[in-house]
Amino acid sequence: MTIMKIALIVNNLVPLSGVGRVVINLASILKNYGYKIKIFAINCDSQFIKKYGISDSEIVCCNKLTILDRMIKVPVLGFLLQVIKFILFGFWLSVKLERNKPTIINSHYYFCGLSGWILSKIINIPHVLTIHGIHLSKAHMRTIHYWADYLILNFIKKHTFYLISVDPTLKISSQFKKVSESIEVIFPCLDRQFLHLLQTIEPTQTIKSGCGSGDGLKLIYVGRLEKHKGLEELLMKLAENKSTWAELKLIGSGTHEIRLKKLSKKLQIANKVKFLGVLDGRKKIQSMNDSDIFISFSRSEGFPLIILEFLALGKPCIIYPVGGIVSFYKEFKNRKLG
């Protein structure tokens, strides 16, 4: 019997990457079904990967390409560098896989689709593209990226075996109607590591009865500390209502961490804002469980995996209505009623 070899291509395999967590969980499931997997990524966290039972021999990283990430923040130029980065990644992959050809290639994230397309053309293997989200909100002024995303997806669509989306946004959006005609929408389950740890956590009372008059609410944010996550606005809003909350825990890291720390001091709420850095596994879930509400002003979201985790803990979420969050709710409501 021939064993199917599946090459999974992804940008990041780190705790803060929702896409990375979906991919690592998928790899774990495929292994249980007897498939032979190999994950190719640009950025990897070995400790995070090992928790899912993926061995070092099943992971290949191209860390040198992360050098370009420092310049990708620049608008327009950053987009061109992204394209160059993933084209180079595609040629690097073709060299790595030339001798040991997989049965099928699965690229996660549309930029990785460029890499997968190049790879599939060079070694002539079917290519599946999984899309985890796309920038739809104009609130964070990324209109150029929005339409560039459309052009890339429309191009890849003609040269790929199948398109899968874990973000129903593309199905709902009228602008992406042509691209979404051949897309199948799926909802990835919460990963096994999270579900296992969930069983070991004692549930806490969601909201204290005396909130606003007593100790106040314990708020929490989990994700990247970047500009488009709206954290500066969040701190300013919270500073206007200091008496209604006790603390805000920020789990994650990013380019705006220092800026946010300075802002919290300027707003005189530094004693109530805690920067916990990147947490994974039990520490992260325990911090989530000890909070009252997840809060986010993010202006850019794909599939809201972290929101599902908070809901699984029985925690309410205050979120900005953008992208995959809104479309996820609409799709979930329709399926539930149907």
Side-chain angles (χ1 to χ4, degrees), residues 24 27-28 31 37 39 49-50 52-56 58-59:
I24 205 77
S28 182
K31 281 183 66 178
I37 63 105
I39 307 176
I49 295 164
K50 286 177 181 177
Y52 290 83
I54 308 297
S55 66
D56 291 338
E58 294 169 321
I59 301 282

Side-chain angles (χ1 to χ4, degrees), residues 1-2 8 13 28 31-32 44 62 72-73 85 120 124 132 152 183 223 235 245 257 277 288 306 310 320-321:
M1 180 179 176
T2 304
L8 300 169
L13 282 177
S28 182
K31 281 183 66 178
N32 287 339
C44 301
C62 184
I72 282 172
K73 304 296 180 184
K85 172 184 172 181
S120 66
N124 194 27
H132 292 258
I152 285 181
I183 293 178
L235 290 181
W245 57 286
E257 184 171 346
M288 291 164 60
I306 193 67
F310 272 98
Y320 199 87

Side-chain angles (χ1 to χ4, degrees), residues 184-214:
E184 178 69 23
V185 178
I186 62 170
F187 286 85
C189 61
L190 294 170
D191 64 58
R192 290 186 302 158
Q193 185 201 40
F194 177 85
L195 291 172
H196 171 71
L197 291 172
L198 192 61
Q199 304 303 316
T200 68
I201 300 291
E202 287 290 330
T204 59
Q205 186 178 354
T206 302
I207 301 178
K208 296 186 287 294
S209 58
C211 70
S213 57

Side-chain angles (χ1 to χ4, degrees), residues 24-37:
I24 205 77
N25 186 48
L26 175 62
S28 182
I29 293 170
L30 291 172
K31 281 183 66 178
N32 287 339
Y33 278 110
Y35 298 118
K36 190 172 182 179
I37 63 105

Side-chain angles (χ1 to χ4, degrees), residues 210-336:
C211 70
S213 57
D215 295 332
L217 294 170
K218 292 182 178 180
L219 309 175
I220 188 171
Y221 166 83
V222 181
R224 289 173 291 146
L225 308 184
E226 302 291 348
K227 184 177 181 180
H228 66 273
K229 292 299 182 180
L231 294 169
E232 291 180 42
E233 183 183 352
L234 174 60
L235 290 181
M236 287 188 282
K237 292 291 183 183
L238 291 176
E240 295 173 5
N241 301 278
K242 295 179 185 179
S243 62
T244 60
W245 57 286
E247 67 175 18
L248 169 65
K249 291 187 288 189
L250 299 172
I251 297 177
S253 64
T255 59
H256 266 53
E257 184 171 346
I258 295 175
R259 188 185 183 100
L260 292 170
K261 287 179 178 178
K262 289 180 179 179
L263 180 60
S264 65
K265 289 180 181 179
K266 182 179 179 180
L267 296 171
Q268 298 180 350
I269 56 173
N271 62 320
K272 301 176 73 171
V273 180
K274 299 180 180 179
F275 292 82
L276 303 183
V278 178
L279 298 181
D280 190 31
R282 187 177 179 82
K283 287 184 179 179
K284 185 188 82 171
I285 295 177
Q286 189 64 62
S287 293
M288 291 164 60
N289 190 53
D290 291 340
S291 66
D292 293 315
I293 297 176
F294 169 73
I295 187 165
S296 171
F297 275 22
S298 176
R299 298 302 199 271
S300 174
E301 289 294 337
F303 186 79
L305 190 59
I306 193 67
I307 293 174
L308 285 186
E309 292 181 354
F310 272 98
L311 294 177
L313 283 164
K315 304 291 180 182
C317 301
I318 299 175
I319 52 179
Y320 199 87
V322 294
I325 292 175
V326 176
S327 54
F328 163 75
Y329 172 74
K330 289 179 180 177
E331 184 78 7
F332 178 78
K333 185 179 179 182
N334 290 338
R335 290 188 178 204
K336 190 175 181 181

